[in-house]
Amino acid sequence: MGDLARTLVLCGLLSGTQPITLMGLLLVMGGVTPRANGVAFVSGAFVVQAGLLIGASALFGGVVSPGSDAGRSFVAVRIVIGVALVGFGLLLRRPPGKPIPEIPHALERLRDLGPRQSFVAGVVVADYQGPVIASFALASSSVAFGGRLAGLGLYALVATGLPLGLMLWTTRSEHARARVTTATTWVMH
C-alpha cells in the first residue's frame, strides 16, 4: 500500500496544483457569488476525477496482478505518460505574445458565471492526467476493495483539498486574495 499511497499523493499533487485549474477557479470566484462558484467549480473537477478513479477501480481493480505482463505494462504506461508530460511542457514553454493578456484567451469565458456554469466549467477544466495515471496505479495494485477506496480518498484529499483550501483562503481574507492576485499576475507575465 506504501507505493500506491505515494503514487496517489503525487497524482493528487499533479491534479491539485494544475495552473489552468487554479486560474480557472480564481476566475469563476470573481463572479457575484464567489464561494458558491468556487465550491461548484471544485465539485465539478472532483466528479470527473473521482469518476475516472472509481471507473478504473471497478473495471480493473483486483484483476491485474502487479507482477503480470499487464501490471508491468501499466507501470510502463505511467512512466511514458510522465515523460511525455514533462517533454510536452518543455516543448510548449515560450514567452507570451505581445501585448501580454491579463487573462489567457482559453479562460476568458470563465468570467461572471453562476454556480451551475461554474460546475460545468470545473468538469471541463478539470485535470485528467492525474486521475488517469492514478487509475493505472489503482488497477495494478494488489490491495483489496477497502484499500482502493482508501486510495481514492487519499487522492481526493490532495487533488480536491488543495483547490478547496485556496478557495476558502481567498474568500475569507481580502489580504489573501490580494496575495493570490499578485502571484497570478507574476505567473502571467
Side-chain angles (χ1 to χ4, degrees):
M1 180 73 178
D3 287 338
L4 177 62
R6 277 192 297 276
T7 301
L8 293 175
V9 166
L10 288 173
C11 290
L13 283 172
L14 176 71
S15 295
T17 59
Q18 285 289 327
I20 194 87
T21 304
L22 294 177
M23 289 172 65
L25 173 63
L26 293 173
L27 284 172
V28 298
M29 287 173 40
V32 178
T33 55
R35 189 170 292 161
N37 287 356
V39 168
F41 185 87
V42 171
S43 297
F46 172 77
V47 165
V48 167
Q49 294 168 352
L52 284 170
L53 286 174
I54 290 170
S57 184
L59 288 174
F60 301 112
V63 176
V64 179
S65 170
S68 69
D69 289 338
R72 285 190 293 278
S73 68
F74 278 4
V75 171
V77 167
R78 285 175 23 211
I79 292 170
V80 168
I81 289 174
V83 169
L85 285 173
V86 169
F88 192 63
L90 292 174
L91 181 69
L92 291 180
R93 180 79 177 123
R94 63 182 185 269
K98 304 288 187 227
I100 299 170
E102 183 178 320
I103 297 172
H105 296 294
L107 299 177
E108 278 288 330
R109 299 186 78 180
L110 296 180
R111 289 181 143 183
D112 301 322
L113 298 178
R116 282 189 211 150
Q117 294 93 354
S118 295
F119 179 83
V120 173
V123 169
V124 172
V125 177
D127 172 54
Y128 289 84
Q129 297 98 353
V132 167
I133 295 170
S135 68
F136 282 125
L138 273 175
S140 64
S141 71
S142 60
V143 297
F145 177 74
R148 288 194 304 270
L149 196 58
L152 171 65
L154 180 64
Y155 172 84
L157 177 69
V158 177
T160 306
L162 290 172
L164 192 60
L166 175 68
M167 189 266 313
L168 291 172
W169 184 53
T170 57
T171 56
R172 292 179 183 262
S173 166
E174 196 59 42
H175 176 68
R177 191 165 184 88
R179 289 180 69 184
V180 169
T181 302
T182 302
T184 305
T185 305
W186 178 77
V187 167
M188 292 300 297
H189 295 99

